Amino acid sequence: MSDLKYWIWLLQVLGSHNIKSMQLIDKYGDVEEVYHVIKDGKEKSLSKTEQKNAKKVRIEQSEKIIEQCERTGVDIITIEDEKYPNRLKGIYNPPIVLFCMGDISFIDNEVTITVVGTRKSSHYSLQVAREIWGNLANIGAVLVSGFALGIDSVA
């Protein structure tokens, strides 16, 4: 579990796409040190909301998330992990932690399409999404989704 709990904690405090995460890791050397600096109140670049989150989020919550993922077969991959997709590392401000199931190594080699859509979808939009995503999947495209309600879940 070592560093993983600190990555999950940082994710909960700053969010998945906060550029400060990697800036702080670069500044302090590793994610555990970032945890201690933030918990000790020594990092002044945090917003009021981020400071509030840092006080509220406990490391034990991160450990519980890890345990739940282990029980349910969900892999947790940090941006420093060798399994983290290179293609994803190459985007501006990539997520610092991925939660996934199955083999994701194909992401670097296959046509991938990210699916983002409304959660409150009309019947027509769901029908069209099923057709579009079904056709793309049938020709071998990989659909990437956060599995939110609505269009995402259709994908």
Side-chain angles (χ1 to χ4, degrees):
M1 206 181 299
S2 62
D3 282 358
L4 192 53
K5 64 185 175 185
Y6 301 112
W7 282 103
I8 304 276
W9 181 86
L10 188 60
L11 174 73
Q12 293 177 94
V13 171
L14 298 183
S16 66
H17 291 288
N18 190 329
I19 200 158
K20 283 184 194 172
S21 298
M22 292 310 295
Q23 290 171 341
L24 290 170
I25 290 167
D26 289 343
K27 180 177 178 180
Y28 294 106
D30 68 36
V31 71
E32 184 176 354
E33 186 62 26
V34 171
Y35 166 78
H36 291 295
V37 168
I38 291 175
K39 279 306 246 186
D40 293 344
K42 295 178 182 173
E43 180 53 47
K44 303 303 179 195
S45 71
L46 301 183
S47 69
K48 289 189 185 287
T49 300
E50 292 164 345
Q51 291 172 12
K52 188 170 124 181
N53 289 345
K55 290 177 184 173
K56 182 175 67 172
V57 176
R58 303 278 179 249
I59 200 72
E60 293 81 15
Q61 293 169 280
S62 300
E63 292 168 342
K64 286 183 181 182
I65 289 170
I66 294 167
E67 290 168 8
Q68 183 178 1
C69 287
E70 287 173 350
R71 279 194 312 275
T72 57
V74 174
D75 292 324
I76 305 170
I77 301 173
T78 72
I79 195 164
E80 290 185 340
D81 193 312
E82 65 184 36
K83 294 186 288 184
Y84 194 97
N86 287 325
R87 190 183 261 180
L88 192 53
K89 277 184 184 178
I91 67 171
Y92 174 76
N93 198 15
I96 61 169
V97 178
L98 300 176
F99 296 88
C100 55
M101 296 179 84
D103 179 15
I104 66 165
S105 62
F106 61 85
I107 290 175
D108 284 332
N109 303 315
E110 301 293 331
V111 173
T112 55
I113 300 169
T114 302
V115 178
V116 179
T118 182
R119 291 184 175 158
K120 294 182 179 181
S121 310
S122 69
H123 177 71
Y124 175 74
S125 63
L126 292 173
Q127 181 182 354
V128 170
R130 277 187 195 90
E131 185 175 335
I132 292 171
W133 307 139
N135 289 336
L136 287 169
N138 286 336
I139 62 169
V142 176
L143 305 177
V144 179
S145 170
F147 298 110
L149 297 174
I151 297 294
D152 289 31
S153 64
V154 167

